[in-house]
Amino acid sequence: MWNETSTAVPPLERADAGAGRLPLPAVVESVEPGSIGEDLGFQPGDRLISINGIRPRDLIDVRFLTGEEELRLEVADPDGTLHVVELEKEADEGLGLAFTEALFDGLRQCNNACPFCFIDQQPPGRRRSLYVKDDDFRLSFLYGSYLTLTNLTAGDWHRIEQQRLSPLYVSVHATDPELRSRLLCNPRAGLLLDQLAWFARRRLQIHAQVVVCPGLNDGEALQRTLTDLAGFGGGDWPAVLSTAVVPVGLTRFRPAGDELRPVSPADAEAVIERVETLQRRFQAEIGSRFAWLADEWYLIAGRSLPPRVSYEDLPQQENGVGSIRAFLADLERHTEGLPEAVHPPRRLSWVVGRLVEESLQPALDRLNAVRGLEVLLHGLPSPYWGRDQVVTGLLTAADLLEGLADRDLGEALLLPRVMLRQGEEVFLDDVPLAELERRLPVPVRLVGGANDLVAACLGRGEHDA
Ligand code: SF4
């Protein structure tokens, strides 16, 4: 039953997909105080081997298996001693355990070769982990990472259906089978429309993204892609919930002869025009704008960002759609009731990507109207990636050291946290934050959202704006 072939979507054999190994035990990282796990005596380093006789493959399995009222857990201490723990609990009560990894049977890796792949556009010689291309439906369900559906086995499709793993986040790029196969360099990529129909029949849902490469999948191809996707976007239970349209990001490390070119202001204008026209149509037909333009399109075109209200409930904010608009709206809110003066006087610098510098000017003016406060904004390019216009999150430590050399940094530098790798104090070029701090002449203060930034400017505590 578990390996039953799903209809409509030809399966890959497990071996072809490089699919998971036998699951390793799940290693406990922490135990929530007051939880069942604490009552049972779980400690960090303990290894959960099985739940009711089944080895969990990942966190999703743990959630499902621990949803039973009666549990029999097989656990190994850090010294290898085995224990069997039996317990009864409410079905909706968790164990309160966090694990060191989300996947216990290995990562499903990508089997495509997209010419615009950001991982292939990294410089050589870095940590091996930076070159790992994940394409794992479990991570998509758990964390919202995008996958292509090209490496799923029959068992994976069955599992998505059985465990209702929805919504998933799918990189579409094009719905024309030939074009999608060409963009992903994978003939299996042409199955996408069948796969969307599979989701629709089972009332499972996805969010989609389209990375637009000028000359390849813009123009009529983009029109067809968004129209096809919107065909799955209506009704009470749309199979496609939203689509993000994002510009391709190219770096100087990409291979020569890859047919790609950077997005020009004229390209951005054309995409905005086309997608905004479609948004109006979709609004009338399915009750939502449905296709969302990343903020970068407006900044590249030199246009102001649409008002916050036009992003509905920001369904694709994680994908850069409305994130700058939301930050500006937050910044406006937090700079509304600024004090007339700060004492003692403060001179600070704030570094951002050159692409967003201009849009921050009104908020900067409001901050600098506070007597005694001077904020120096530095909008930097990225020589590291070979890009003049970049968003803040792409700046590396090398860009900061080069761009800020000889600039007036005031008493301290406000550094947006978005420049650091998620969960690490390391920049995208692998330089630790501590090294940047050592090499800059002023202290660095990391800032998160607008609230944090304004608090830092006014000299308040980190979370006290
Ligand atoms: S699917 Fe993603 S990870 Fe794989 S090659 Fe394409 S862009 Fe890179």
Side-chain angles (χ1 to χ4, degrees):
M1 195 57 184
W2 191 250
N3 289 317
E4 184 187 64
T5 305
S6 56
T7 54
V9 182
L12 268 184
E13 292 306 320
R14 241 182 147 67
D16 294 341
R21 57 181 188 229
L22 188 71
L24 295 174
V27 181
V28 174
E29 185 175 65
S30 61
V31 184
E32 197 181 309
S35 65
I36 294 177
E38 189 183 57
D39 285 351
L40 294 173
F42 269 97
Q43 305 270 354
D46 285 345
R47 287 170 296 143
L48 178 60
I49 298 166
S50 69
I51 304 168
N52 291 344
I54 300 172
R55 281 177 172 249
R57 295 160 292 187
D58 43 53
L59 289 182
I60 303 170
D61 273 354
V62 171
R63 282 185 199 167
F64 269 80
L65 293 168
T66 56
E68 299 289 324
E69 291 180 355
E70 291 179 16
L71 296 182
R72 185 174 189 276
L73 310 177
E74 201 184 347
V75 186
D77 279 351
D79 67 6
T81 311
L82 284 178
H83 303 269
V84 172
V85 183
E86 295 192 345
L87 69 139
E88 279 184 33
K89 64 172 190 58
E90 299 294 325
D92 58 358
E93 253 183 316
L95 297 181
L97 302 176
F99 299 95
T100 54
E101 291 187 66
L103 308 177
F104 317 137
D105 63 351
L107 178 76
R108 304 295 174 85
Q109 297 204 30
C110 159
N111 62 356
N112 308 306
C114 314
F116 49 84
C117 180
F118 194 74
I119 291 171
D120 289 336
Q121 295 189 66
Q122 306 241 21
R126 304 280 178 209
R127 282 185 280 157
R128 269 187 65 192
S129 61
L130 299 185
Y131 303 108
V132 173
K133 298 180 182 180
D134 76 79
D135 197 3
D136 196 307
F137 67 98
R138 285 102 40 99
L139 297 183
S140 186
F141 176 70
L142 288 167
Y143 306 117
S145 57
Y146 273 89
L147 84 160
T148 62
L149 306 173
T150 58
N151 64 356
L152 297 184
T153 64
D156 295 335
W157 285 105
H158 185 64
R159 184 176 175 194
I160 290 169
E161 182 177 5
Q162 289 295 92
Q163 295 187 327
R164 309 284 309 160
L165 304 185
S166 169
L168 295 180
Y169 294 77
V170 178
S171 284
V172 169
H173 308 323
T175 50
D176 172 54
E178 209 175 301
L179 179 56
R180 187 167 191 260
S181 297
R182 187 152 78 91
L183 286 166
L184 273 64
C185 297
N186 186 341
R188 289 186 57 79
L191 299 169
L192 182 92
L193 287 174
D194 290 342
Q195 292 166 333
L196 293 183
W198 183 93
F199 279 95
R201 281 196 298 278
R202 288 158 180 80
R203 293 167 76 83
L204 295 167
Q205 298 177 303
I206 69 153
H207 289 279
Q209 78 164 352
V210 175
V211 173
V212 175
C213 305
L216 288 180
N217 61 342
D218 56 351
E220 285 304 315
L222 181 61
Q223 180 92 11
R224 171 172 172 183
T225 298
L226 297 181
T227 306
D228 284 345
L229 290 173
F232 291 94
D236 295 341
W237 202 265
V240 182
L241 291 163
S242 70
T243 301
V245 181
V246 291
V248 67
L250 302 179
T251 83
R252 68 186 168 94
F253 302 107
R254 71 182 202 271
D258 59 6
E259 291 185 80
L260 300 173
R261 64 175 169 82
V263 174
S264 67
D267 295 324
E269 276 293 344
V271 168
I272 293 170
E273 183 67 37
R274 186 177 291 276
V275 175
E276 286 190 345
T277 305
L278 283 170
Q279 284 176 338
R280 289 189 285 276
R281 197 177 108 195
F282 297 151
Q283 180 73 56
E285 288 175 2
I286 59 175
S288 163
R289 288 177 175 81
F290 179 77
W292 302 100
L293 286 159
D295 297 338
E296 267 184 273
W297 291 110
Y298 293 94
L299 298 174
I300 294 170
R303 288 217 208 168
S304 50
L305 293 164
R308 164 67 187 83
V309 65
S310 70
Y311 290 93
E312 296 176 15
D313 57 355
L314 288 165
Q316 292 269 6
Q317 191 173 0
E318 293 297 309
N319 216 344
V321 179
S323 50
I324 297 172
R325 166 48 74 208
F327 177 75
L328 292 177
D330 271 0
L331 202 50
E332 203 171 309
R333 196 157 51 84
H334 288 289
T335 50
E336 258 167 15
L338 290 174
E340 270 182 31
V342 287
H343 191 77
R346 302 168 61 76
R347 285 185 84 244
L348 304 163
S349 50
W350 173 21
V351 61
V352 296
R354 183 175 272 176
L355 193 60
V356 298
E357 182 180 15
E358 201 182 315
S359 59
L360 296 171
Q361 202 59 47
L364 185 74
D365 292 344
R366 282 196 294 280
L367 286 165
N368 282 331
V370 175
R371 206 163 0 99
L373 175 63
E374 188 182 357
V375 182
L376 310 153
L377 183 65
H378 300 296
L380 300 185
S382 174
Y384 180 85
W385 297 118
R387 289 175 63 178
D388 183 57
Q389 297 290 331
V390 281
V391 290
T392 305
L394 277 182
L395 288 178
T396 64
D399 296 326
L400 298 177
L401 289 169
E402 185 175 336
L404 297 176
D406 305 324
R407 294 225 191 176
D408 182 356
L409 300 183
E411 298 150 22
L413 175 69
L414 306 180
L415 187 89
R417 192 179 283 279
V418 69
M419 289 181 208
L420 302 175
R421 289 187 190 283
Q422 208 172 10
E424 297 178 68
E425 298 229 317
V426 175
F427 290 91
L428 288 183
D429 57 358
D430 242 4
V431 174
L433 173 64
E435 171 151 358
L436 180 90
E437 288 178 310
R438 196 175 51 74
R439 293 176 62 183
L440 284 178
V442 296
V444 169
R445 175 159 172 182
L446 282 181
V447 286
N451 180 15
D452 210 9
L453 180 92
V454 173
C457 290
L458 299 178
R460 293 178 183 159
E462 188 101 19
H463 304 290
D464 181 30

